[in-house]
Amino acid sequence: MELYYLIAIIDRDRTARMTQLYQAAGARTILTKLGRGTATSEQLSVYGLDETPKAVVGAVAGADGARQIFRAARRKLLIDIPGNGILMTVPIKSVAGGRTLAYLTENTSAGGTPSMEFSHELIIVVLNEGYSDYVMDLARAAGAAGGTVLHAKGTGVRQDERFFGVRLADAKDMIYIVARAEEKAAIMRAINDGAGPGTKPGAICFSLPVSAIAGLREKED
């Protein structure tokens, strides 16, 4: 089964166009979340990221659909040019049952296995609301170029607070940071050491493998 979760981080005024690319490729379960960029003014000219409102558009697609979306995003949204967003794929390991698989693939073949070559990873940080700038400062000091902040509400239980000092039932921030695989450990360690469980930010940090990415060309150069 070769399925991927696609994640596009773009300016909000490009959300409809990205959604259309997903739909044209037959991607299913398209979800849009709102956030904001975190890049500093010094990074703006290099990475094309700024404080403008962002959208995170996710969807599930097979290998052919993912390739079609990447081609269309490069051609129609110029996603590879800095400032036009980031598009990435996270391989899906399993789904819950045949009906779910049929829905996600529209009953077409999903043979093969996802690519397991990961040059980048998506770091996801869940933290108490109001500390995202502080956490991003820690991440930048460890090599992160920038991130996208989303707002969420936790649904944790009392034991979470007692054992970890993290109140998951309160309003939360989430930060998405795309990093090279070799840079990931230092960034996560810096966040955990300076803002991890037991601190006021109470940050919980983990990463997902990214099997394909577009939008970081200038950084790679």
Side-chain angles (χ1 to χ4, degrees):
M1 181 185 66
E2 190 170 5
L3 285 176
Y4 297 92
Y5 187 63
L6 285 88
I7 301 173
I9 302 175
I10 53 176
D11 289 346
R12 287 188 198 174
D13 59 6
R14 295 160 66 87
T15 303
R17 296 178 66 190
M18 180 59 72
T19 300
Q20 290 169 359
L21 298 186
Y22 281 177
Q23 292 171 334
R28 309 302 296 268
T29 318
I30 302 173
L31 301 172
T32 300
K33 300 173 283 293
L34 302 181
R36 63 176 177 86
T38 63
T40 63
S41 57
E42 291 80 5
Q43 295 167 323
L44 178 58
S45 61
V46 178
Y47 302 113
L49 301 172
D50 54 32
E51 293 287 350
T52 59
K54 301 292 181 181
V56 178
V57 187
V60 176
D64 290 341
R67 284 191 289 267
Q68 179 180 333
I69 291 167
F70 266 73
R71 287 194 299 268
R74 288 186 172 107
R75 186 175 66 254
K76 297 182 179 180
L77 297 182
L78 304 178
I79 199 73
D80 260 344
I81 296 177
N84 288 330
I86 297 173
L87 177 63
M88 70 193 89
T89 57
V90 175
I92 294 177
K93 184 177 181 181
S94 59
V95 299
R99 290 186 178 181
T100 300
L101 179 61
Y103 172 78
L104 293 175
T105 61
E106 293 186 316
N107 289 306
T108 58
S109 174
T113 57
S115 171
M116 292 297 161
E117 297 294 327
F118 307 128
S119 61
H120 292 80
E121 297 195 33
L122 174 63
I123 300 171
I124 298 178
V125 188
V126 182
L127 64 149
N128 294 326
E129 187 179 32
Y131 292 94
S132 57
D133 290 340
Y134 173 70
V135 170
M136 277 307 308
D137 286 343
L138 295 173
R140 288 193 190 94
T148 301
V149 178
L150 308 172
H151 297 289
K153 181 174 176 58
T155 57
V157 294
R158 182 173 300 174
Q159 285 83 350
D160 295 322
E161 180 180 0
R162 185 172 64 200
F163 288 111
F164 302 113
V166 178
R167 300 189 60 183
L168 292 181
D170 290 343
K172 292 294 187 183
D173 284 343
M174 294 181 65
I175 304 176
Y176 284 8
I177 302 171
V178 180
R180 280 178 169 270
E182 61 268 23
E183 299 171 341
K184 176 260 302 184
I187 294 170
M188 294 179 67
R189 184 164 52 248
I191 293 172
N192 186 67
D193 290 347
T199 68
K200 289 183 178 180
I204 296 173
C205 190
F206 57 92
S207 71
L208 299 175
V210 173
S211 54
I213 192 163
L216 295 183
R217 185 176 64 187
E218 185 75 14
K219 181 176 187 294
E220 300 305 301
D221 292 344

